[in-house]
Tab-separated table of all heavy atoms in Angstrom:
chain	number	residue	atom	x	y	z
H	192	LEU	N	144.639	121.568	94.634
H	192	LEU	CA	144.495	121.874	96.053
H	192	LEU	C	145.579	121.187	96.859
H	192	LEU	O	146.175	121.782	97.763
H	192	LEU	CB	143.123	121.420	96.548
H	192	LEU	CG	141.951	122.282	96.120
H	192	LEU	CD1	140.655	121.643	96.515
H	192	LEU	CD2	142.062	123.650	96.754
H	193	SER	N	145.887	119.932	96.518
H	193	SER	CA	146.920	119.272	97.310
H	193	SER	C	148.287	119.877	97.043
H	193	SER	O	149.141	119.863	97.925
H	193	SER	CB	146.928	117.756	97.107
H	193	SER	OG	146.497	117.391	95.865
H	194	LEU	N	148.489	120.421	95.833
H	194	LEU	CA	149.765	121.106	95.572
H	194	LEU	C	149.924	122.314	96.496
H	194	LEU	O	150.960	122.468	97.160
H	194	LEU	CB	149.825	121.541	94.104
H	194	LEU	CG	151.006	122.429	93.729
H	194	LEU	CD1	152.301	121.678	93.918
H	194	LEU	CD2	150.905	122.921	92.310
H	195	ILE	N	148.874	123.148	96.574
H	195	ILE	CA	148.948	124.326	97.449
H	195	ILE	C	149.173	123.880	98.889
H	195	ILE	O	150.011	124.406	99.621
H	195	ILE	CB	147.656	125.148	97.344
H	195	ILE	CG1	147.463	125.627	95.916
H	195	ILE	CG2	147.698	126.337	98.285
H	195	ILE	CD1	146.127	126.276	95.690
H	196	SER	N	148.409	122.871	99.273
H	196	SER	CA	148.512	122.369	100.637
H	196	SER	C	149.924	121.865	100.930
H	196	SER	O	150.498	122.176	101.976
H	196	SER	CB	147.491	121.247	100.787
H	196	SER	OG	147.445	120.772	102.062
H	197	LEU	N	150.492	121.117	99.967
H	197	LEU	CA	151.839	120.573	100.193
H	197	LEU	C	152.871	121.690	100.256
H	197	LEU	O	153.828	121.613	101.028
H	197	LEU	CB	152.191	119.576	99.082
H	197	LEU	CG	153.486	118.803	99.266
H	197	LEU	CD1	153.484	118.058	100.586
H	197	LEU	CD2	153.726	117.825	98.142
H	198	ILE	N	152.663	122.758	99.470
H	198	ILE	CA	153.606	123.872	99.530
H	198	ILE	C	153.566	124.517	100.919
H	198	ILE	O	154.607	124.809	101.516
H	198	ILE	CB	153.288	124.906	98.430
H	198	ILE	CG1	153.644	124.324	97.064
H	198	ILE	CG2	154.058	126.189	98.658
H	198	ILE	CD1	153.269	125.211	95.914
H	199	ILE	N	152.355	124.698	101.457
H	199	ILE	CA	152.254	125.306	102.792
H	199	ILE	C	152.913	124.392	103.827
H	199	ILE	O	153.671	124.853	104.687
H	199	ILE	CB	150.775	125.561	103.154
H	199	ILE	CG1	150.182	126.586	102.203
H	199	ILE	CG2	150.653	126.051	104.581
H	199	ILE	CD1	148.732	126.875	102.463
H	200	VAL	N	152.633	123.099	103.723
H	200	VAL	CA	153.247	122.160	104.667
H	200	VAL	C	154.768	122.230	104.553
H	200	VAL	O	155.480	122.254	105.565
H	200	VAL	CB	152.750	120.721	104.408
H	200	VAL	CG1	153.568	119.723	105.194
H	200	VAL	CG2	151.301	120.602	104.782
H	201	ALA	N	155.272	122.295	103.304
H	201	ALA	CA	156.716	122.333	103.109
H	201	ALA	C	157.310	123.594	103.734
H	201	ALA	O	158.362	123.538	104.381
H	201	ALA	CB	157.038	122.279	101.614
H	202	LEU	N	156.626	124.731	103.570
H	202	LEU	CA	157.124	125.974	104.169
H	202	LEU	C	157.152	125.853	105.689
H	202	LEU	O	158.110	126.268	106.347
H	202	LEU	CB	156.242	127.152	103.765
H	202	LEU	CG	156.342	127.615	102.320
H	202	LEU	CD1	155.270	128.637	102.045
H	202	LEU	CD2	157.712	128.205	102.063
H	203	ALA	N	156.090	125.258	106.249
H	203	ALA	CA	156.019	125.143	107.702
H	203	ALA	C	157.075	124.184	108.220
H	203	ALA	O	157.754	124.456	109.211
H	203	ALA	CB	154.624	124.675	108.112
H	204	GLU	N	157.244	123.057	107.530
H	204	GLU	CA	158.166	122.036	108.023
H	204	GLU	C	159.610	122.480	107.909
H	204	GLU	O	160.459	122.054	108.678
H	204	GLU	CB	157.984	120.745	107.220
H	204	GLU	CG	156.635	120.113	107.390
H	204	GLU	CD	156.629	119.106	108.515
H	204	GLU	OE1	157.719	118.682	108.911
H	204	GLU	OE2	155.546	118.762	108.986
H	205	ASN	N	159.905	123.323	106.910
H	205	ASN	CA	161.286	123.727	106.719
H	205	ASN	C	161.605	125.034	107.421
H	205	ASN	O	162.653	125.610	107.188
H	205	ASN	CB	161.587	123.850	105.226
H	205	ASN	CG	161.789	122.501	104.613
H	205	ASN	OD1	162.705	121.777	104.989
H	205	ASN	ND2	160.913	122.133	103.708
H	206	ALA	N	160.671	125.495	108.248
H	206	ALA	CA	160.897	126.715	109.020
H	206	ALA	C	161.251	127.881	108.118
H	206	ALA	O	162.191	128.622	108.358
H	206	ALA	CB	161.992	126.502	110.066
H	207	ARG	N	160.513	128.031	107.011
H	207	ARG	CA	160.742	129.161	106.122
H	207	ARG	C	159.729	130.256	106.439
H	207	ARG	O	158.699	130.018	107.084
H	207	ARG	CB	160.576	128.764	104.650
H	207	ARG	CG	161.279	127.527	104.212
H	207	ARG	CD	162.754	127.513	104.493
H	207	ARG	NE	163.510	128.590	103.889
H	207	ARG	CZ	164.834	128.594	103.794
H	207	ARG	NH1	165.549	127.583	104.259
H	207	ARG	NH2	165.453	129.602	103.268
H	208	ILE	N	159.987	131.466	105.910
H	208	ILE	CA	159.018	132.548	106.001
H	208	ILE	C	157.774	132.112	105.230
H	208	ILE	O	157.925	131.519	104.183
H	208	ILE	CB	159.604	133.839	105.379
H	208	ILE	CG1	160.755	134.320	106.249
H	208	ILE	CG2	158.560	134.914	105.216
H	208	ILE	CD1	161.501	135.493	105.674
H	209	PRO	N	156.535	132.333	105.653
H	209	PRO	CA	156.116	133.174	106.767
H	209	PRO	C	155.954	132.441	108.102
H	209	PRO	O	155.476	133.045	109.064
H	209	PRO	CB	154.763	133.672	106.287
H	209	PRO	CG	154.219	132.549	105.494
H	209	PRO	CD	155.400	131.895	104.861
H	210	VAL	N	156.292	131.165	108.167
H	210	VAL	CA	156.070	130.436	109.408
H	210	VAL	C	157.189	130.723	110.404
H	210	VAL	O	156.957	130.932	111.585
H	210	VAL	CB	155.961	128.933	109.114
H	210	VAL	CG1	155.848	128.150	110.389
H	210	VAL	CG2	154.760	128.669	108.238
H	211	ASP	N	158.400	130.709	109.910
H	211	ASP	CA	159.553	130.890	110.777
H	211	ASP	C	160.637	131.523	109.923
H	211	ASP	O	160.684	131.290	108.718
H	211	ASP	CB	160.007	129.516	111.300
H	211	ASP	CG	161.113	129.640	112.314
H	211	ASP	OD1	161.422	130.767	112.716
H	211	ASP	OD2	161.665	128.601	112.705
H	212	ASN	N	161.458	132.319	110.509
H	212	ASN	CA	162.518	132.943	109.725
H	212	ASN	C	163.819	132.208	109.982
H	212	ASN	O	164.295	132.177	111.118
H	212	ASN	CB	162.650	134.412	110.114
H	212	ASN	CG	163.547	135.151	109.159
H	212	ASN	OD1	164.283	134.531	108.388
H	212	ASN	ND2	163.479	136.458	109.203
H	213	PRO	N	164.419	131.606	108.938
H	213	PRO	CA	165.602	130.789	109.175
H	213	PRO	C	166.847	131.582	109.564
H	213	PRO	O	167.815	130.988	110.030
H	213	PRO	CB	165.802	130.069	107.838
H	213	PRO	CG	165.106	130.900	106.841
H	213	PRO	CD	163.973	131.542	107.549
H	214	VAL	N	166.826	132.894	109.372
H	214	VAL	CA	168.049	133.637	109.676
H	214	VAL	C	167.960	134.393	110.993
H	214	VAL	O	168.947	134.946	111.457
H	214	VAL	CB	168.414	134.630	108.553
H	214	VAL	CG1	168.761	133.896	107.290
H	214	VAL	CG2	167.307	135.612	108.314
H	215	THR	N	166.814	134.413	111.625
H	215	THR	CA	166.687	135.251	112.806
H	215	THR	C	167.062	134.496	114.074
H	215	THR	O	166.967	133.283	114.148
H	215	THR	CB	165.260	135.776	112.950
H	215	THR	OG1	165.234	136.679	114.053
H	215	THR	CG2	164.292	134.677	113.237
H	216	HIS	N	167.518	135.240	115.048
H	216	HIS	CA	167.683	134.675	116.374
H	216	HIS	C	166.956	135.550	117.381
H	216	HIS	O	167.376	135.713	118.516
H	216	HIS	CB	169.160	134.525	116.737
H	216	HIS	CG	169.780	133.339	116.080
H	216	HIS	ND1	170.400	133.396	114.870
H	216	HIS	CD2	169.832	132.050	116.455
H	216	HIS	CE1	170.822	132.202	114.519
H	216	HIS	NE2	170.494	131.368	115.468
H	217	LEU	N	165.860	136.131	116.944
H	217	LEU	CA	165.085	136.996	117.812
H	217	LEU	C	164.208	136.128	118.707
H	217	LEU	O	163.528	135.238	118.235
H	217	LEU	CB	164.208	137.888	116.925
H	217	LEU	CG	163.594	139.104	117.563
H	217	LEU	CD1	164.660	140.109	117.906
H	217	LEU	CD2	162.604	139.720	116.598
H	218	GLU	N	164.244	136.409	120.008
H	218	GLU	CA	163.592	135.508	120.959
H	218	GLU	C	162.131	135.260	120.639
H	218	GLU	O	161.630	134.152	120.736
H	218	GLU	CB	163.677	136.065	122.389
H	218	GLU	CG	165.067	136.324	122.905
H	218	GLU	CD	165.521	137.715	122.534
H	218	GLU	OE1	164.768	138.420	121.853
H	218	GLU	OE2	166.640	138.080	122.912
H	219	LEU	N	161.432	136.351	120.289
H	219	LEU	CA	159.985	136.231	120.197
H	219	LEU	C	159.525	135.414	119.012
H	219	LEU	O	158.444	134.863	119.023
H	219	LEU	CB	159.365	137.633	120.105
H	219	LEU	CG	159.496	138.435	121.377
H	219	LEU	CD1	158.985	139.828	121.163
H	219	LEU	CD2	158.713	137.761	122.477
H	220	THR	N	160.341	135.350	117.961
H	220	THR	CA	159.835	134.780	116.729
H	220	THR	C	160.422	133.423	116.385
H	220	THR	O	159.839	132.691	115.623
H	220	THR	CB	160.109	135.722	115.557
H	220	THR	OG1	161.512	135.915	115.480
H	220	THR	CG2	159.432	137.043	115.748
H	221	MET	N	161.580	133.073	116.914
H	221	MET	CA	162.228	131.885	116.366
H	221	MET	C	161.553	130.603	116.844
H	221	MET	O	161.071	130.509	117.956
H	221	MET	CB	163.716	131.883	116.689
H	221	MET	CG	164.064	131.943	118.142
H	221	MET	SD	165.842	132.022	118.309
H	221	MET	CE	165.994	132.204	120.066
H	222	VAL	N	161.519	129.644	115.960
H	222	VAL	CA	160.950	128.344	116.304
H	222	VAL	C	162.044	127.291	116.212
H	222	VAL	O	162.480	126.727	117.213
H	222	VAL	CB	159.778	127.995	115.372
H	222	VAL	CG1	159.208	126.655	115.744
H	222	VAL	CG2	158.719	129.058	115.442
H	223	HIS	N	162.500	127.062	114.974
H	223	HIS	CA	163.513	126.036	114.772
H	223	HIS	C	164.823	126.418	115.456
H	223	HIS	O	165.441	125.610	116.139
H	223	HIS	CB	163.733	125.836	113.272
H	223	HIS	CG	164.760	124.820	112.947
H	223	HIS	ND1	164.495	123.471	112.943
H	223	HIS	CD2	166.059	124.943	112.637
H	223	HIS	CE1	165.599	122.822	112.638
H	223	HIS	NE2	166.561	123.683	112.441
H	224	GLU	N	165.212	127.680	115.284
H	224	GLU	CA	166.493	128.114	115.845
H	224	GLU	C	166.500	128.036	117.370
H	224	GLU	O	167.535	127.809	117.997
H	224	GLU	CB	166.806	129.540	115.399
H	224	GLU	CG	167.071	129.679	113.925
H	224	GLU	CD	168.242	128.835	113.471
H	224	GLU	OE1	169.235	128.761	114.216
H	224	GLU	OE2	168.149	128.226	112.401
H	225	ALA	N	165.309	128.236	117.976
H	225	ALA	CA	165.245	128.191	119.432
H	225	ALA	C	165.561	126.800	119.950
H	225	ALA	O	166.202	126.633	120.991
H	225	ALA	CB	163.860	128.625	119.895
H	226	MET	N	165.121	125.798	119.196
H	226	MET	CA	165.361	124.419	119.648
H	226	MET	C	166.829	124.044	119.579
H	226	MET	O	167.309	123.264	120.399
H	226	MET	CB	164.550	123.455	118.775
H	226	MET	CG	163.122	123.330	119.179
H	226	MET	SD	162.366	122.002	118.289
H	226	MET	CE	162.438	122.632	116.644
H	227	VAL	N	167.532	124.549	118.560
H	227	VAL	CA	168.906	124.108	118.363
H	227	VAL	C	169.904	125.105	118.942
H	227	VAL	O	171.090	125.025	118.674
H	227	VAL	CB	169.196	123.884	116.864
H	227	VAL	CG1	168.208	122.903	116.293
H	227	VAL	CG2	169.153	125.175	116.095
H	228	LEU	N	169.400	126.009	119.773
H	228	LEU	CA	170.243	127.078	120.295
H	228	LEU	C	171.409	126.555	121.125
H	228	LEU	O	172.481	127.146	121.152
H	228	LEU	CB	169.374	128.012	121.147
H	228	LEU	CG	169.799	129.456	121.243
H	228	LEU	CD1	169.913	130.054	119.869
H	228	LEU	CD2	168.765	130.227	122.049
Side-chain angles (χ1 to χ4, degrees):
Chain H
L192 286 173
S193 30
L194 172 64
I195 299 172
S196 184
L197 187 56
I198 289 175
I199 296 179
V200 169
L202 288 172
E204 296 268 342
N205 282 298
R207 312 305 301 194
I208 293 174
V210 175
D211 186 8
N212 191 345
V214 295
T215 185
H216 282 91
L217 196 68
E218 302 88 358
L219 291 175
T220 59
M221 58 183 176
V222 180
H223 179 81
E224 293 301 321
M226 279 190 294
V227 304
L228 208 56

